[in-house]
Amino acid sequence: MLRVVTALLVVASASAFAPTGFAPALRAGSFQGQQVCTKAASTMTGPTMAEAWVRMVPAGEVTTTRQQDALIAGTAVLVGRYSNGALWGISAKNSATGTEMYGGRVDEADLTIEDPQWGTKYSLVGGEVVGKWCRKPPVLGALIGAIFPASGVWVPKVREQSGFIEVLLDVDAKADFEKSYWKGILDAQGKADGGYY
């Protein structure tokens, strides 16, 4: 009996961390987001953000019963509509294990979305955790909640413009993060900057 229970726990924990991939293209069709505008920061000194309103999906594809997600400029974004037609947006990845938020139940009274994997509710206004952290499945959720500390998720600004849903993003964030780690194919041995010799 103990072996059966152990085997079930191993299978359940393995399926919880199984890579689901981020596959919004399978749900959203062949639409590719397009950059709409970029703020020029030529007069500023120091590091700057290249914020831009980026097209995500055609506005008709997002309804009160249909969410859409996309990976734009290295950022996973999930958008949907309230029953009054207003838009909401949130990170498409939960903060516990990075699994998808797509399909999460939206509670309009509390302005929250429930993570379908772990049951954590996130505020659609500020992204903070509302209520209990990792409340399901009963045993595995408690274990994940004990391993990973409670943390909120990112909430982007979203708008509807010219028939598209647009998201305000720092389009250079991924490149800025990776530039200190990656200099090209020769970087593996430090040959790109002469540090190897």
Side-chain angles (χ1 to χ4, degrees):
M1 180 68 179
L2 181 60
R3 288 184 182 180
V4 172
V5 171
T6 305
L8 288 174
L9 285 174
V10 169
V11 169
S13 63
S15 65
F17 291 104
T20 58
F22 188 75
L26 296 177
R27 293 187 290 270
S30 61
F31 175 77
Q32 297 293 322
Q34 300 170 351
Q35 183 172 325
V36 175
C37 66
T38 306
K39 290 182 180 177
S42 59
T43 59
M44 297 178 69
T45 58
T48 60
M49 289 178 43
E51 286 188 340
W53 284 101
V54 182
R55 286 184 177 177
M56 186 172 161
V57 293
E61 292 187 15
V62 178
T63 65
T64 57
T65 58
R66 186 171 174 199
Q67 302 169 356
Q68 289 292 328
D69 57 358
L71 187 63
I72 304 170
T75 306
V77 181
L78 176 68
V79 295
R81 288 189 191 272
Y82 295 112
S83 60
N84 66 2
L87 290 170
W88 56 262
I90 197 162
S91 170
K93 300 286 188 173
N94 70 40
S95 59
T97 58
T99 53
E100 292 187 43
M101 299 269 280
Y102 181 84
R105 190 178 61 80
V106 174
D107 183 351
E108 291 192 39
D110 294 339
L111 296 178
T112 59
I113 184 169
E114 182 180 330
D115 167 24
Q117 176 93 33
W118 304 113
T120 302
K121 288 186 177 184
Y122 295 97
S123 168
L124 290 169
V125 178
E128 63 275 355
V129 174
V130 177
K132 190 173 179 190
W133 172 249
C134 296
R135 60 185 181 83
K136 67 177 190 179
V139 175
L140 189 57
L143 178 64
I144 294 300
I147 294 171
F148 300 103
S151 61
V153 294
W154 172 69
V155 176
K157 293 181 182 178
V158 293
R159 72 179 183 186
E160 187 172 342
Q161 185 82 20
S162 301
F164 289 93
I165 305 290
E166 296 179 349
V167 182
L168 184 63
L169 296 175
D170 177 6
V171 293
D172 292 335
K174 183 177 177 184
D176 288 344
F177 177 78
E178 292 177 345
K179 73 179 170 187
S180 62
Y181 299 103
W182 180 253
K183 297 176 186 172
I185 197 87
L186 298 177
D187 189 54
Q189 296 181 0
K191 293 181 181 179
D193 61 3
Y196 177 73
Y197 298 104

